[in-house]
Amino acid sequence: FMTNKLDPWSSSEINDYSKLFEEFGISPFDNVLPEIPSPHMYMRRRVIFGHRDYEQIADAMRTGAPFSVMDGFMPSGKVHLGHKMVMDQIIWHQQMGASAFVGIADREAFSVRGFSWQKCREIGVEEYILSLIALGFKPDGLIYFQSGCESVKDLAFELGVKVNFSELSAIYGFSGETNLSHMISVATQAADILQPQLEEFGGPKPVVVPVGPDQDPHLRLTRGLAGKMSMFRVEERENANGGKYLSVRGKGAPKEALKELKKRIPGKVKLYEEHMDILQTPDYPFLERFVLQINHPEKKKCFTAELKDASKSASEIKLTRKILDEIVAEVAADFGGYAFIPPASTYHRFMSGLQGGKMSSSVPDSYIALTDDPKEGAKKVKRAKTGGCVTLEEQKKLGGKPDECSVFELMLFHLIGDDEELLEIRQECVSGTRMCGSCKQLAAEKMYEFLKDHQEKRELAKEHLDEYKIIYKK
Ligand code: SF4
């Protein structure tokens, strides 16, 4: 695709999201894009605009190291193009080598919507799972209903110890009226995200959760919990001179585990101060000095591993961190504890409603369901709000506004896979050589074809359901 000096996919909305970068520490996706082998269309087109820690995912893709993609769907209504965006990203990561986990959040639907387990199951299968498979989800991924997944339920209970009501009300606005099950469903979502790192799924590894920015509170909560639950934490820190160093904390870890950790960290151990050891690591020369501050039960000391020469390069820090992560995970597992890596995330723009404004499940004309009759889907495209001028003459003179056009958005997000073709459409629109009537016609035809094909694949998926690993409520 053309590398454009100006932002070819530009949208004013991205500017609205820039607050997220500053306030919540989400990084712009542009920073990590060059590190990704053959990036997904949403990445190239800046539909995905931000991330947390995606570097570790890009790294795993390049090196073939294990990583996972995880996402969940609340079985609450019709599966639509907004869900397709998430499914496309899960499937892409799966194709890039991730082990994939999809949770059907029936605990959430039960507690928030009051749906019965049976209704959750029907909606989960009929709407979400069939479309997920039809879009290309491979059978080696795991699909589960929260209510049937013992490991998620156990982990949710354990996570519950590390989070209190004040935190939940600060994050989710919970009040005295909030029911207990709703709170449990929040802990369950955190467990969903951490589950791929459990021993039975191969232990700690980078996990990415593709979400819209509204889901970020879950990510922040879960990232915090990953640290609180871990027997040891490896963190990158900055000293007063701006130099980077690595810190390993082991608050509350059993003494034996600490001893074992010391043994397994390569190098020579020397006593430095009362509860501080120095490790010299000839195996890793860039680790000139490695300070290990021992956790002292009475003094409640954490322990800190630090690179004395803080000017070490980012890649050395990264390598060191990888080594430390692995050692720490092994020791934690041996002592029956966890060592979670904080989950990574990507953030995508929302699709707007077909009539402008927001997409709303209570306004069927504002969205296209993947189960809409293809003819009806095409009609919705034809009724959609465009960014065109009132008269043809004006449009020829002034051009259209693709960034304010729902039809262009459908092409950008779903209907046109070829970047060059899309850029051409954009160019023609802006320059006034493209008219909305024929443009809509093209989009409507493509939508008809997509829905028809997708629904045929859904029928096929029904026949192949039993080839998939699906955990239902017992
Ligand atoms: Fe939208 Fe197409 Fe009209 Fe441009 S020409 S405003 S892209 S419908």
Side-chain angles (χ1 to χ4, degrees):
F1 87 105
M2 286 157 63
T3 36
N4 225 306
K5 312 95 228 164
L6 294 169
D7 176 2
W9 323 106
S10 86
S11 162
S12 48
E13 274 176 74
I14 291 183
N15 298 331
D16 302 342
Y17 293 137
S18 63
K19 262 190 276 158
L20 288 169
F21 298 149
E22 290 145 30
E23 265 178 54
F24 297 117
I26 292 176
S27 309
F29 203 79
D30 285 354
N31 299 355
V32 76
L33 191 62
E35 293 175 35
I36 303 168
S38 46
H40 186 268
M41 164 176 121
Y42 291 155
M43 298 170 172
R44 304 191 309 260
R45 299 179 180 185
R46 295 200 175 145
V47 170
I48 294 175
F49 63 89
H51 75 100
R52 284 183 198 274
D53 285 353
Y54 197 79
E55 294 90 352
Q56 42 172 325
I57 302 295
D59 234 40
M61 280 181 203
R62 282 197 317 265
T63 59
F67 71 106
S68 294
V69 59
M70 194 287 137
D71 231 309
F73 299 94
M74 175 161 78
S76 60
K78 285 192 160 296
V79 60
H80 55 60
L81 289 176
H83 300 117
K84 174 181 173 284
M85 284 182 69
V86 177
M87 293 176 181
D88 284 343
Q89 294 176 65
I90 298 170
I91 292 162
W92 180 80
H93 280 101
Q94 194 183 27
Q95 287 164 351
M96 297 300 284
S99 52
F101 294 74
V102 175
I104 303 295
D106 57 348
R107 273 188 156 190
E108 190 183 0
F110 189 105
S111 65
V112 179
R113 300 286 166 98
F115 288 1
S116 69
W117 297 120
Q118 186 53 31
K119 185 168 178 179
C120 288
R121 177 171 171 146
E122 279 164 21
I123 300 177
V125 175
E126 286 299 319
E127 296 288 331
Y128 299 85
I129 295 178
L130 288 182
S131 275
L132 180 72
I133 294 173
L135 288 169
F137 190 78
K138 288 187 286 183
D140 58 4
L142 177 69
I143 304 172
Y144 63 91
F145 285 74
Q146 287 174 327
S147 63
C149 189
E150 293 306 320
S151 49
V152 161
K153 287 198 281 191
D154 286 349
L155 184 56
F157 186 79
E158 292 175 44
L159 291 172
V161 176
K162 303 285 181 193
V163 57
N164 62 34
F165 180 72
S166 313
E167 284 168 273
L168 289 185
S169 47
I171 299 173
Y172 298 100
F174 284 176
S175 70
E177 305 298 309
T178 308
N179 69 59
L180 180 58
S181 299
H182 190 178
M183 293 181 223
I184 295 172
S185 81
V186 168
T188 309
Q189 280 195 44
D192 284 329
I193 296 174
L194 294 175
Q195 175 178 234
Q197 299 194 59
L198 294 179
E199 259 327 273
E200 59 195 279
F201 297 110
K205 65 176 81 59
V207 179
V208 60
V209 192
V211 292
D214 62 325
Q215 301 292 308
D216 191 50
H218 296 311
L219 263 304
R220 292 206 303 277
L221 175 74
T222 310
R223 285 168 61 87
L225 284 171
K228 286 187 200 168
M229 286 296 282
S230 295
M231 191 176 271
F232 307 111
R233 294 165 73 173
V234 182
E235 284 171 353
E236 197 177 304
R237 306 189 147 220
E238 222 172 79
N239 65 19
N241 305 324
K244 295 263 170 50
Y245 70 95
L246 288 164
S247 138
V248 183
R249 290 167 166 265
K251 207 171 169 184
K255 258 190 182 161
E256 292 69 29
L258 292 173
K259 264 196 219 151
E260 186 58 30
L261 184 68
K262 271 171 63 186
K263 241 200 267 169
R264 290 198 207 171
I265 289 175
K268 210 169 72 190
V269 185
K270 270 202 282 177
L271 192 67
Y272 179 57
E273 263 177 21
E274 191 191 348
H275 33 260
M276 192 180 285
D277 282 1
I278 299 177
L279 290 164
Q280 277 166 351
T281 57
D283 311 10
Y284 304 99
F286 47 86
L287 258 181
E288 275 171 5
R289 198 176 77 154
F290 196 86
V291 182
L292 194 66
Q293 197 174 321
I294 300 296
N295 184 8
H296 196 285
E298 291 91 64
K299 294 181 181 155
K300 292 229 159 60
K301 283 273 183 192
C302 299
F303 65 132
T304 304
E306 96 178 54
L307 289 165
K308 190 196 173 206
D309 178 358
S311 64
K312 293 297 169 195
S313 75
S315 63
E316 283 170 346
I317 296 248
K318 217 157 126 185
L319 183 58
T320 314
R321 167 149 204 168
K322 222 171 176 169
I323 297 162
L324 281 179
D325 274 336
E326 278 167 20
I327 298 171
V328 148
E330 278 171 20
V331 176
D334 287 355
F335 285 84
Y338 296 114
F340 293 123
I341 298 171
S345 46
T346 57
Y347 300 88
H348 54 250
R349 281 164 51 191
F350 291 120
M351 286 187 68
S352 35
L354 293 175
Q355 307 296 328
K358 279 191 175 168
M359 240 173 28
S360 161
S361 51
S362 54
V363 186
D365 255 8
S366 74
Y367 68 90
I368 292 174
L370 300 183
T371 49
D372 271 349
D373 180 303
K375 281 188 196 142
E376 180 53 28
K379 271 189 204 156
K380 283 185 183 177
V381 176
K382 287 194 180 163
R383 288 197 296 264
K385 174 188 160 278
T386 73
C389 299
V390 182
T391 66
L392 278 183
E393 250 173 44
E394 245 180 80
Q395 181 137 347
K396 281 183 187 156
K397 211 165 94 194
L398 302 171
K401 293 180 178 145
D403 291 335
E404 294 169 22
C405 175
S406 315
V407 178
F408 185 77
E409 201 182 68
L410 284 173
M411 297 192 277
L412 173 87
F413 282 56
H414 301 285
L415 299 176
I416 309 271
D418 183 62
D419 289 340
E420 297 262 355
E421 188 183 347
L422 187 71
L423 280 173
E424 209 175 297
I425 292 174
R426 185 184 173 83
Q427 198 49 43
E428 287 175 9
C429 170
V430 174
S431 64
T433 54
R434 191 176 185 90
M435 297 300 121
C436 294
S438 55
C439 192
K440 271 183 169 180
Q441 182 61 33
L442 173 85
E445 280 165 20
K446 286 197 179 278
M447 183 57 73
Y448 177 88
E449 284 307 321
F450 163 72
L451 289 174
K452 193 164 156 282
D453 177 63
H454 180 68
Q455 288 165 22
E456 281 166 13
K457 287 182 175 147
R458 280 174 52 93
E459 286 308 310
L460 265 179
K462 281 183 194 165
E463 291 166 27
H464 293 277
L465 256 188
D466 54 1
E467 292 163 25
Y468 284 79
K469 283 184 270 179
I470 306 178
I471 305 177
Y472 297 101
K473 183 173 174 59
K474 289 183 190 75

